[in-house]
Structures are given as structure tokens and as C-alpha cells.
Amino acid sequence: MKSALEHFDKAFENRIRLQVMSILVANENYDFNSLKELLGVTDGNLASHLKALEKEEYIHIYKSFLGRKPNTSYAASEKGRAAFRKHLEALENLIKQQKP
């Protein structure tokens, strides 16, 4: 059992961070408001989870203006993509170990 768990990444233990990475890996980038709407979370909740992913260097942040409105978008970094892939593989291995 230990071998399947050794590649689990604590950054993805939270459902929201797991969902954010799923979205960012599947898309080139995603803006803050679209992420918030898709996930059904508050500004503060999403911001804290994005900050945790940023701290791990799993995401890149891009700030720009659309007209006069500030816009922040996010993209998965290569480090984040690799970590997410390893985490998913660990989940798959855990599931496979549970089969008789």
C-alpha cells in the first residue's frame, strides 16, 4: 500500500485544488472569474487555493487588462503538469491494488 501512496501530492488532497489543476491541465489557461463560476466557490476560497498552487510553483499567473478591467488568468506550469500526472498515476495504482 505504501508504494501507491508515496507519489500522492498533498497539494492535490483538497477537492478544489484538484479541480483547478484538472481544468488548467485540460485548457491552455483559465481566468479567475470563469474558475470561480465553474467551481461554485467564493473569491476568497478560490484565491487561497490558487495561492497554495502558486506556492508549489504548479501554476503560472498572468495579469492583464480587458479594456479598463483587470483580468487574471492561470495556466498549469510544466512542474504542475508533471506533479498532477504523478498524482493521478498514484490514484490509479491505488485503485488497481484494491482489486482482488
Side-chain angles (χ1 to χ4, degrees), residues 41-55:
V41 295
T42 65
D43 286 8
N45 196 355
L46 179 57
S48 68
H49 290 294
L50 289 167
K51 189 134 196 89
L53 291 170
E54 179 187 14
K55 184 179 176 188

Side-chain angles (χ1 to χ4, degrees), residues 1-50:
M1 183 74 95
K2 171 104 170 81
S3 62
L5 297 176
E6 73 182 74
H7 293 291
F8 267 40
D9 192 319
K10 287 206 174 277
F12 305 128
E13 283 183 352
N14 180 279
R15 173 187 65 85
I16 294 169
R17 288 193 294 271
L18 185 66
Q19 288 177 302
V20 166
M21 281 307 291
S22 297
I23 294 165
L24 296 181
V25 166
N27 297 277
E28 192 173 317
N29 60 54
Y30 231 79
D31 68 73
F32 184 89
N33 288 329
S34 297
L35 277 172
K36 183 177 81 163
E37 186 178 315
L38 185 62
L39 299 174
V41 295
T42 65
D43 286 8
N45 196 355
L46 179 57
S48 68
H49 290 294
L50 289 167

Side-chain angles (χ1 to χ4, degrees), residues 36-100:
K36 183 177 81 163
E37 186 178 315
L38 185 62
L39 299 174
V41 295
T42 65
D43 286 8
N45 196 355
L46 179 57
S48 68
H49 290 294
L50 289 167
K51 189 134 196 89
L53 291 170
E54 179 187 14
K55 184 179 176 188
E56 296 293 331
E57 299 177 347
Y58 287 171
I59 61 172
H60 295 297
I61 300 170
Y62 302 98
K63 295 187 181 271
S64 63
F65 283 88
L66 295 176
R68 298 184 124 181
K69 291 180 81 175
N71 184 50
T72 305
S73 62
Y74 303 87
S77 67
E78 284 306 312
K79 181 179 179 180
R81 287 178 186 279
F84 190 68
R85 218 173 9 256
K86 278 185 179 178
H87 186 76
L88 291 181
E89 288 170 7
L91 286 172
E92 287 175 5
N93 289 336
L94 181 63
I95 292 167
K96 287 175 187 172
Q97 286 181 2
Q98 303 309 311
K99 292 182 180 177

